[in-house]
Amino acid sequence: MTTALTYLACSATVLVIIIGIFRVEDARDGKLVLLTKVRLFFNRLVTYLGARLYSLDTYIGKGFARVMLHYAVHGLLERILNGLKGIEQRVENLLRRNKQVVKEISKDKKRNHLDEIADHKQETALSDAQKKKMRSHE
């Protein structure tokens, strides 16, 4: 907590000093008071870079950024499309494989429990003589 308060106090102090310097410079009609050479160097640098960017914009054109954005979006959409095509091919391969498995299963049809019940019923079925005997109550 004390570190945060120290930073706050230092920041507030620097802010008050900067406000004071700017007020003095405004009173002297914009003449720089503190770090004159360094501030003039940065002013020239920012002015030069701004002029270069402005002249570059006239050569390239105002729509250059928009065109580059469209190219970037086009590239991204093309990659997404290629990815979806790959996924589609994988799904189609899985469907073909599944159809082959179904065909193999239907060819090699194994006996299920219903077939076993039918066989058991035939094995344990009564003969005609046994059926007549059961009906006659003898």
Side-chain angles (χ1 to χ4, degrees), residues 77-87:
L77 290 175
E78 191 171 16
R79 287 185 182 143
I80 291 171
L81 178 64
N82 289 335
L84 289 175
K85 284 180 182 177
I87 291 171

Side-chain angles (χ1 to χ4, degrees), residues 56-123:
L56 185 66
D57 187 41
T58 57
Y59 287 119
I60 293 174
K62 304 233 183 246
F64 177 73
R66 186 174 179 195
V67 169
M68 292 306 294
L69 178 66
H70 282 281
Y71 276 122
V73 170
H74 179 73
L76 177 67
L77 290 175
E78 191 171 16
R79 287 185 182 143
I80 291 171
L81 178 64
N82 289 335
L84 289 175
K85 284 180 182 177
I87 291 171
E88 179 186 17
Q89 288 175 354
R90 289 183 188 134
V91 168
E92 285 177 356
N93 288 339
L94 285 173
L95 287 173
R96 278 191 220 109
R97 196 166 141 202
N98 189 32
K99 282 184 181 180
Q100 290 173 354
V101 169
V102 168
K103 285 181 182 179
E104 288 176 11
I105 289 173
S106 63
K107 284 180 185 175
D108 300 336
K109 199 171 192 181
K110 294 183 180 178
R111 297 177 54 85
N112 57 20
H113 71 283
L114 296 175
D115 295 330
E116 292 176 9
I117 292 172
D119 289 344
H120 178 71
K121 184 177 178 181
Q122 286 178 354
E123 289 174 6

Side-chain angles (χ1 to χ4, degrees), residues 12-60:
T13 305
V14 169
L15 180 64
V16 169
I17 291 171
I18 290 173
I19 289 172
I21 290 171
F22 287 148
R23 296 282 295 214
V24 170
E25 289 176 353
D26 284 342
R28 293 187 179 182
D29 294 326
K31 293 180 183 174
L32 301 178
V33 176
L34 188 65
L35 300 171
T36 307
K37 291 183 181 181
V38 174
R39 289 174 62 190
L40 284 175
F41 170 74
F42 280 119
N43 283 344
R44 285 190 205 115
L45 179 67
V46 169
T47 305
Y48 173 75
L49 290 175
R52 293 293 288 171
L53 288 174
Y54 183 75
S55 66
L56 185 66
D57 187 41
T58 57
Y59 287 119
I60 293 174

